[in-house]
Amino acid sequence: QKEVEQNSGPLSVPEGAIASLNCTYSDRGSQSFFWYRQYSGKSPELIMFIYSNGDKEDGRFTAQLNKASQYVSLLIRDSQPSDSATYLCAVNKDTGFQKLVFGTGTRLLVSP
Amino acid sequence: DAGITQSPRHKVTETGTPVTLRCHQTENHRYMYWYRQDPGHGLRLIHYSYGVKDTDKGEVSDGYSVSRSKTEDFLLTLESATSSQTSVYFCAISDGDTSYTEAFFGQGTRLTVV
Protein backbone atom coordinates (compact mmCIF):
# COMPACT_ATOMS: atom_id res chain seq x y z
CA GLN A 1 0.00 0.00 0.00
CA LYS A 2 1.36 3.39 -0.97
CA GLU A 3 1.62 5.98 1.76
CA VAL A 4 -0.38 8.50 -0.25
CA GLU A 5 -2.84 7.33 -2.87
CA GLN A 6 -4.58 9.25 -5.60
CA ASN A 7 -6.58 8.20 -8.62
CA SER A 8 -4.41 8.98 -11.64
CA GLY A 9 -7.37 10.07 -13.76
CA PRO A 10 -7.85 11.82 -16.02
CA LEU A 11 -10.77 13.48 -14.32
CA SER A 12 -12.75 15.31 -17.00
CA VAL A 13 -15.15 18.11 -16.08
CA PRO A 14 -16.84 20.79 -18.18
CA GLU A 15 -15.99 24.44 -17.69
CA GLY A 16 -17.88 25.95 -14.77
CA ALA A 17 -18.37 22.63 -12.97
CA ILE A 18 -16.96 21.56 -9.61
CA ALA A 19 -13.92 19.29 -9.77
CA SER A 20 -13.41 16.97 -6.81
CA LEU A 21 -9.97 15.48 -6.25
CA ASN A 22 -9.37 12.88 -3.59
CA CYS A 23 -6.42 11.54 -1.65
CA THR A 24 -5.99 8.93 1.08
CA TYR A 25 -2.99 8.42 3.33
CA SER A 26 -1.86 5.53 5.46
CA ASP A 27 0.03 7.09 8.39
CA ARG A 28 -2.31 8.27 11.13
CA GLY A 29 0.50 10.38 12.57
CA SER A 30 0.58 12.64 9.53
CA GLN A 31 0.61 16.27 10.54
CA SER A 32 -0.20 18.42 7.55
CA PHE A 33 -1.54 18.02 4.07
CA PHE A 34 -0.81 19.89 0.88
CA TRP A 35 -2.22 20.25 -2.59
CA TYR A 36 0.21 21.16 -5.36
CA ARG A 37 -0.65 21.88 -8.98
CA GLN A 38 1.76 20.88 -11.71
CA TYR A 39 1.39 21.88 -15.34
CA SER A 40 3.00 19.61 -17.90
CA GLY A 41 6.76 20.13 -17.97
CA LYS A 42 6.69 22.59 -15.08
CA SER A 43 7.47 22.47 -11.38
CA PRO A 44 4.86 21.88 -8.66
CA GLU A 45 3.31 24.96 -7.10
CA LEU A 46 1.43 25.05 -3.83
CA ILE A 47 -2.32 25.67 -3.99
CA MET A 48 -3.12 25.26 -0.33
CA PHE A 49 -2.44 23.30 2.83
CA ILE A 50 -4.61 22.06 5.69
CA TYR A 51 -3.79 20.57 9.06
CA SER A 52 -7.06 20.65 11.02
CA ASN A 53 -10.13 18.53 10.43
CA GLY A 54 -12.80 20.24 8.39
CA ASP A 55 -12.82 22.60 5.44
CA LYS A 56 -10.45 25.37 4.43
CA GLU A 57 -11.42 27.73 1.63
CA ASP A 58 -9.23 29.93 -0.54
CA GLY A 59 -10.97 31.55 -3.48
CA ARG A 60 -12.29 28.84 -5.80
CA PHE A 61 -10.43 26.12 -3.89
CA THR A 62 -11.60 24.22 -0.81
CA ALA A 63 -9.50 21.63 0.97
CA GLN A 64 -11.25 19.11 3.17
CA LEU A 65 -9.57 16.94 5.80
CA ASN A 66 -10.97 13.98 7.67
CA LYS A 67 -8.26 12.49 9.86
CA ALA A 68 -10.50 9.70 11.18
CA SER A 69 -10.98 8.43 7.62
CA GLN A 70 -7.42 9.42 6.59
CA TYR A 71 -8.85 11.32 3.68
CA VAL A 72 -8.13 14.71 2.17
CA SER A 73 -9.80 16.27 -0.83
CA LEU A 74 -9.62 19.35 -3.00
CA LEU A 75 -12.68 20.96 -4.53
CA ILE A 76 -12.29 23.40 -7.40
CA ARG A 77 -15.40 25.47 -8.01
CA ASP A 78 -16.18 27.13 -11.36
CA SER A 79 -13.47 25.06 -13.05
CA GLN A 80 -11.61 26.79 -15.87
CA PRO A 81 -9.61 25.31 -18.77
CA SER A 82 -6.55 26.90 -17.13
CA ASP A 83 -7.11 24.55 -14.18
CA SER A 84 -6.19 21.61 -16.43
CA ALA A 85 -3.10 20.18 -14.77
CA THR A 86 -1.95 17.37 -12.51
CA TYR A 87 -2.83 17.84 -8.86
CA LEU A 88 -0.44 16.35 -6.34
CA CYS A 89 -1.46 15.48 -2.81
CA ALA A 90 1.38 15.59 -0.30
CA VAL A 91 1.56 14.63 3.34
CA ASN A 92 4.05 15.75 5.97
CA LYS A 93 4.57 13.16 8.68
CA ASP A 94 7.09 15.33 10.47
CA THR A 95 6.22 17.89 13.10
CA GLY A 96 9.03 20.09 11.87
CA PHE A 97 10.08 20.94 8.37
CA GLN A 98 8.97 19.74 4.95
CA LYS A 99 9.65 16.03 4.53
CA LEU A 100 6.81 15.56 2.12
CA VAL A 101 5.45 12.27 0.82
CA PHE A 102 3.65 12.75 -2.47
CA GLY A 103 0.92 10.85 -4.22
CA THR A 104 1.30 10.14 -7.91
CA GLY A 105 -1.14 12.88 -8.83
CA THR A 106 -4.53 13.19 -10.50
CA ARG A 107 -4.71 14.65 -13.96
CA LEU A 108 -7.59 17.10 -14.35
CA LEU A 109 -8.98 18.09 -17.75
CA VAL A 110 -11.42 20.98 -17.93
CA SER A 111 -13.15 21.24 -21.28
CA PRO A 112 -14.50 24.58 -22.62
CA ASP B 1 10.28 30.22 -9.09
CA ALA B 2 11.02 31.82 -5.73
CA GLY B 3 14.71 32.47 -6.43
CA ILE B 4 15.72 28.88 -7.15
CA THR B 5 17.93 27.99 -10.08
CA GLN B 6 18.74 24.44 -11.10
CA SER B 7 21.57 23.62 -13.47
CA PRO B 8 21.81 22.09 -15.91
CA ARG B 9 18.20 22.00 -17.08
CA HIS B 10 18.82 19.05 -19.36
CA LYS B 11 21.60 16.51 -19.41
CA VAL B 12 22.33 13.29 -21.25
CA THR B 13 25.08 11.17 -19.79
CA GLU B 14 26.48 7.68 -20.19
CA THR B 15 26.08 4.83 -17.74
CA GLY B 16 28.88 4.74 -15.20
CA THR B 17 29.82 8.40 -15.38
CA PRO B 18 29.54 10.74 -12.39
CA VAL B 19 27.00 13.54 -12.64
CA THR B 20 26.47 16.58 -10.43
CA LEU B 21 23.31 18.65 -10.39
CA ARG B 22 23.30 22.07 -8.78
CA CYS B 23 20.60 23.93 -6.92
CA HIS B 24 21.17 27.59 -6.13
CA GLN B 25 18.80 29.72 -4.05
CA THR B 26 18.73 33.44 -3.36
CA GLU B 27 16.08 33.25 -0.59
CA ASN B 28 18.41 32.38 2.30
CA HIS B 29 16.08 29.51 3.24
CA ARG B 30 17.41 27.04 5.75
CA TYR B 31 16.08 23.83 4.27
CA MET B 32 16.86 22.41 0.84
CA TYR B 33 15.67 19.18 -0.75
CA TRP B 34 16.25 17.02 -3.77
CA TYR B 35 13.34 15.06 -5.22
CA ARG B 36 13.06 12.87 -8.27
CA GLN B 37 9.85 12.50 -10.24
CA ASP B 38 9.01 9.38 -12.23
CA PRO B 39 5.79 8.19 -13.85
CA GLY B 40 3.85 5.97 -11.48
CA HIS B 41 5.94 7.02 -8.47
CA GLY B 42 5.32 10.71 -8.11
CA LEU B 43 7.86 12.87 -6.34
CA ARG B 44 10.22 11.03 -4.01
CA LEU B 45 12.67 12.60 -1.58
CA ILE B 46 16.32 11.74 -2.24
CA HIS B 47 18.22 13.85 0.30
CA TYR B 48 17.62 16.98 2.27
CA SER B 49 19.63 19.57 4.16
CA TYR B 50 18.76 21.49 7.29
CA GLY B 51 21.81 23.73 7.27
CA VAL B 52 25.33 24.15 5.96
CA LYS B 53 27.07 20.78 6.10
CA ASP B 54 23.94 19.21 7.66
CA THR B 55 22.30 16.67 5.37
CA ASP B 56 20.28 13.51 5.71
CA LYS B 57 18.88 10.72 3.57
CA GLY B 58 15.42 10.59 2.16
CA GLU B 59 13.32 7.76 0.81
CA VAL B 60 15.45 6.92 -2.28
CA SER B 61 19.02 7.90 -1.42
CA ASP B 62 20.93 4.86 -2.73
CA GLY B 63 23.36 5.87 -5.47
CA TYR B 64 23.19 9.57 -4.60
CA SER B 65 25.24 11.86 -2.42
CA VAL B 66 24.80 15.52 -1.56
CA SER B 67 26.81 18.41 -0.26
CA ARG B 68 25.98 21.82 1.09
CA SER B 69 29.00 24.01 1.72
CA LYS B 70 27.09 27.30 1.51
CA THR B 71 23.54 28.23 2.46
CA GLU B 72 22.66 29.00 -1.15
CA ASP B 73 24.00 25.86 -2.87
CA PHE B 74 22.91 22.23 -2.62
CA LEU B 75 24.63 19.74 -4.91
CA LEU B 76 23.34 16.31 -5.87
CA THR B 77 25.89 13.82 -7.17
CA LEU B 78 25.25 10.55 -8.91
CA GLU B 79 28.48 8.71 -8.22
CA SER B 80 28.10 6.31 -11.16
CA ALA B 81 24.98 6.99 -13.19
CA THR B 82 22.66 4.11 -14.06
CA SER B 83 19.70 3.96 -16.42
CA SER B 84 17.36 3.70 -13.41
CA GLN B 85 18.43 7.22 -12.46
CA THR B 86 16.92 8.64 -15.62
CA SER B 87 14.37 11.02 -14.17
CA VAL B 88 13.34 14.61 -13.63
CA TYR B 89 15.06 16.04 -10.58
CA PHE B 90 13.55 18.88 -8.58
CA CYS B 91 15.22 20.97 -5.94
CA ALA B 92 13.00 22.55 -3.28
CA ILE B 93 13.55 25.03 -0.49
CA SER B 94 11.64 25.94 2.64
CA ASP B 95 12.07 28.04 5.71
CA GLY B 96 10.59 27.87 9.18
CA ASP B 97 10.26 24.95 11.51
CA THR B 98 6.59 24.07 11.26
CA SER B 99 5.05 21.16 9.41
CA TYR B 100 3.02 23.49 7.19
CA THR B 101 5.69 25.81 5.86
CA GLU B 102 5.47 26.11 2.09
CA ALA B 103 8.13 24.39 0.00
CA PHE B 104 9.09 26.10 -3.27
CA PHE B 105 10.33 24.07 -6.21
CA GLY B 106 12.92 24.82 -8.85
CA GLN B 107 12.30 24.37 -12.57
CA GLY B 108 13.64 20.82 -12.65
CA THR B 109 16.51 19.03 -14.38
CA ARG B 110 15.75 16.33 -16.91
CA LEU B 111 18.50 13.72 -16.73
CA THR B 112 18.81 10.91 -19.24
CA VAL B 113 21.30 8.11 -18.63
CA VAL B 114 22.07 6.10 -21.78
Side-chain angles (χ1 to χ4, degrees):
Chain A
Q1 180 189 8
K2 290 185 178 179
E3 290 193 70
V4 180
E5 299 219 43
Q6 296 180 257
N7 188 317
S8 60
L11 173 65
S12 295
V13 300
E15 183 175 357
I18 296 175
S20 177
L21 304 160
N22 305 313
C23 172
T24 58
Y25 60 95
S26 60
D27 189 338
R28 286 194 173 274
S30 299
Q31 298 291 315
S32 49
F33 308 85
F34 300 79
W35 283 100
Y36 281 83
R37 177 176 62 198
Q38 187 175 27
Y39 293 111
S40 181
K42 301 296 185 181
S43 58
E45 54 181 341
L46 182 68
I47 297 174
M48 61 192 307
F49 67 87
I50 187 168
Y51 53 89
S52 298
N53 274 327
D55 295 0
K56 179 181 179 182
E57 187 174 318
D58 184 1
R60 295 188 297 114
F61 300 95
T62 299
Q64 299 175 316
L65 175 61
N66 184 327
K67 289 188 176 181
S69 300
Q70 295 175 241
Y71 178 91
V72 59
S73 64
L74 179 71
L75 301 178
I76 306 175
R77 290 181 298 281
D78 189 24
S79 295
Q80 301 297 309
S82 58
D83 294 325
S84 297
T86 297
Y87 289 80
L88 307 174
C89 173
V91 171
N92 192 358
K93 299 191 294 182
D94 219 279
T95 55
F97 58 103
Q98 293 297 298
K99 280 180 68 176
L100 299 176
V101 179
F102 283 84
T104 53
T106 298
R107 187 173 167 217
L108 174 66
L109 297 176
V110 182
S111 54
Chain B
D1 288 320
I4 309 170
T5 303
Q6 291 186 230
S7 59
R9 295 292 313 280
H10 302 271
K11 186 170 182 67
V12 179
T13 192
E14 292 187 349
T15 299
T17 60
V19 176
T20 295
L21 308 183
R22 181 183 184 232
C23 178
H24 178 78
Q25 60 143 331
T26 58
E27 305 296 324
N28 200 36
H29 280 6
R30 178 182 176 187
Y31 302 100
M32 298 186 76
Y33 314 80
W34 278 107
Y35 288 88
R36 61 178 288 175
Q37 187 172 35
D38 306 287
H41 291 279
L43 283 154
R44 292 179 291 175
L45 182 63
I46 305 171
H47 280 280
Y48 61 96
S49 169
Y50 44 95
V52 174
K53 291 185 169 48
D54 291 324
T55 66
D56 207 346
K57 297 179 179 180
E59 176 188 357
V60 290
S61 59
D62 286 349
Y64 301 95
S65 62
V66 290
S67 66
R68 191 171 178 196
S69 59
K70 297 185 289 185
T71 298
E72 57 266 36
D73 289 326
F74 193 32
L75 303 181
L76 177 71
T77 297
L78 289 65
E79 305 289 349
S80 177
T82 67
S83 58
S84 64
Q85 293 175 312
T86 292
S87 186
V88 179
Y89 291 85
F90 287 99
C91 173
I93 64 173
S94 71
D95 208 1
D97 294 312
T98 66
S99 66
Y100 45 85
T101 303
E102 180 174 358
F104 298 94
F105 285 81
Q107 323 96 303
T109 294
R110 183 173 295 276
L111 176 68
T112 302
V113 183
V114 297

